[in-house]
Structure formats: C-alpha cells, structure tokens
Amino acid sequence: MPTTRDLRAMAGTEPITMLTAYDAPTAAVIDEAGVDVILVGDSMGNAALGHDSTLPVTLEEVRSRTAAVARATEEALVVADMPFLSFGVSESESVRNAGTMLKEADADAVKLECGSHTVELTERLVDLGIPVMAHLGLTPQRVKRTGYARQGTTRDDAREILDLARAHEEAGAFALVLEHVPANLAAQVTAALDVPTIGIGAGPDCDGQVLVITDVLGLSDRVPPFATRFGDVRSEMRRAVEAYRDAVAGGEFPAAEHGHVEEELDELY
Ligand code: KIV
C-alpha cells in the first residue's frame, strides 16, 4: 500500500493517476485497475448526491463514503476531501474534522481547498500526523465568488497561485491539485515544487492527472471542457434497466431457476 511519502517520491519520475470514488464497488474497480490515488471528492455533491454544487456536502457524507471506499481499497492511497466549512472556521474544529477522516473512516490523507487561510492549518495538521493534499486554482467551494471559470489567467493571479503552492509545500503538504489553470502556469508550479502536482484541466506537465469518475465512465450528463468520457456506462445502465423492465413486463423474469418450490407447502388450505 503506497504512503504519502511514496507518492511524493513519484514526482517527476512516473505519472501519478488519481480518480474520484464515492462508494465501495466503484473504488474496488479503480483499485483493481491500478490507479494510484482514490479521492473521495466533495464532487460527490454534483456527481452522486444530486446537488448543483459541492456546497451542501456534509462532513458525515464524506466520512461515511470515505469509510466505504477505504473498506474496498487494498492498494491505492485514499484521500478524503474536506467539505465546505468543515475546516477554516476554527483551528480546533478543523483539526478534529480532519482527524475524523483518519480515525473513523480509515483515510490516508485529507484534501483542503486552499488559500492564504490554510497555510498554518496545513502545518498544524501535518505536525499532528494528518497528511494534507493542497488544492489551488479553481476551488469549487468558492463558486459563489468565482463561478467555474479558469483561474490564474492574469500575471498577478498566477503569481498568487505559485506563491500559495510554495507556501503549502513549505507547510508540509505532500501533493498539490491544480484545477482549471493555464497549462503554462501549471508547468511552472510543477517545476518550482518538489512535491507532485496533480492536474485537472491544467495541461500535460503536471506530475499526475485526476478526473471525476462519473465523467470518465460516461455517466454524467455533462462533462467539463477539460474532461473526456472514456466509456459509455450511462447507455449500458439504461440498456440493462430497460431489459429488466421488459423482462418483468413480459413475464420472462423471474424464471423457474430464480425461485424455489417446497412441495409440502402445496395446498395449504
Ligand atoms: O472534489 C473533487 O472531486 C475534486 C477533484 C476534482 C480534484 O476536488
């Protein structure tokens, strides 16, 4: 089982693969396929829970789904995403909430959507033994302020991301997610850091890539411009569900082999 230290060592040597998962069967498939990191992302808000943003996702939802993912995962590193306002309100509450993911859900690390307010918190969590994956660029928990627009597109904004990346590395983060930023900014951040960068909509020069599993499977009805559907699971699910409906409606399911008869129960009255 890789540790956060193993992942750090992969920077610049071999591409790191990361996917989200929100349940045990999906995590098992991802793990068997040899993906390095499974992120129990707060993207579950949109991808699994029917919300139109990540803001309503609760600590308990991430905790219970992280526990399910961890139970089904043997090899990959499991990272729990800290949902909106589960960190940053007060230090003690942030530490307790992050600790819960390791203590009760068996996560290997937590991810924080970062800004200047998370530098000290990262240091504190790392000191306590809670590995931190930082996340900069588009941070969907700030959707009310930024929308889903590409970030770091001006020189000032790009420099701020680079400075924050360095500050979080110094504070002890073991990896950095860069979301929806220009590829040339991501390349410079990657070159400036020793810890691995994992990009989503950040070009080819990051040390690894992450996507949301429902986009990869072709289960989402819409995918962001930087993602690709690698399958068409939605059509296959629809086909299976329609086949079931038709079999029940047509009297073909259940067949004799799907049930059993106790002869002595015949003619009860
Ligand atoms: O919540 C999530 O799935 C994420 C990834 C898109 C990086 O933060």
Side-chain angles (χ1 to χ4, degrees), residues 4 10 22 48 56 71 79 102-103 168 174 192 226 234 259 265:
T4 53
M10 286 170 77
Y22 319 110
R71 284 192 288 270
V79 179
L102 272 65
K103 228 173 143 75
H168 283 82
F174 71 93
F226 47 76
R234 193 183 180 92
L265 299 184

Side-chain angles (χ1 to χ4, degrees), residues 62-86:
V62 177
R63 190 205 61 75
S64 72
R65 282 164 179 267
T66 300
V69 165
R71 284 192 288 270
T73 302
E74 284 177 15
E75 293 298 329
L77 199 77
V78 175
V79 179
D81 208 2
M82 297 306 296
F84 183 52
L85 297 188
S86 69

Side-chain angles (χ1 to χ4, degrees), residues 121-132:
L121 177 60
T122 297
E123 199 166 352
R124 176 94 177 108
L125 293 173
V126 173
D127 278 350
L128 284 166
I130 303 171
V132 173

Side-chain angles (χ1 to χ4, degrees), residues 18 20 22 39-44 54 81 111 113 135 140 177 179 198 200 210-212 226:
M18 175 158 118
T20 67
Y22 319 110
L39 171 67
V40 188
D42 67 350
S43 52
M44 71 175 70
T54 61
D81 208 2
K111 177 170 84 59
E113 289 194 11
H135 179 164
V177 169
E179 181 166 355
I198 302 181
I200 173 164
V210 56
L211 283 177
V212 167
F226 47 76

